[in-house]
Amino acid sequence: RKIHLFDVDYDGGYKESDSTVRGDRLVVVPNTPIGTLGVTTCYDIRFPHMYSALRDRGCDVLLAPSAFMPTTGLAHWHVLMRARAIETQCYFVAAAQAGKHNLPSGDALSGRVRESFGHSLVVGPFGNVLTDLGTEVPALDVIDIDLDEIQQVRAKMPIQQHRHTAMHIFDQARETEK
């Protein structure tokens, strides 16, 4: 389940905490044919520490099914996907709901029509967009996940090693602030 609930006031507002229970753990699916998967949902994308933690747990591919609102999607969608892929040096796969749709029954705003930004994306471990399915529905694309590419990117720029080397500095700063 998603860890970060979407309680915002854009595009008519939405308060996910009215109908959804927050998740309480990271989800990792090891040893798939395309590597180890980290599973997240939508609004989680805005929290980079979550993706660093998934990378620490050996993830190669990060998944984030989403339904971004038009305003936040236009402003943030592509940059957030690319940033998470670059920061973790993982493939980032985000299936995104597109167009107008009704909110699910049982939702506090049930019956209200909502619009989602769309643009399902696959981003490579160097931040390159491999596919963007836009807003036309239905849409489908097939992308090869190259585990060797992940290792090549990580070998040329060992971000994970550099991050771990500096962690004590951040821990000390937090302690000093207390």
Side-chain angles (χ1 to χ4, degrees), residues 18-33:
D18 285 346
S19 60
T20 304
V21 175
R22 174 185 323 280
D24 61 0
R25 70 183 75 87
L26 295 175
V27 177
V28 175
V29 182
N31 305 317
T32 78

Side-chain angles (χ1 to χ4, degrees), residues 149-167:
E149 180 184 7
I150 295 170
Q151 296 314 313
Q152 290 169 10
V153 168
R154 291 175 179 178
K156 289 179 180 179
M157 188 181 298
I159 290 173
Q160 187 80 343
Q161 177 187 340
H162 297 159
R163 185 172 63 85
H164 285 294
T165 300
M167 288 306 290

Side-chain angles (χ1 to χ4, degrees), residues 63-74:
L63 307 174
S66 300
F68 262 48
M69 293 178 150
T71 300
T72 58
L74 183 62

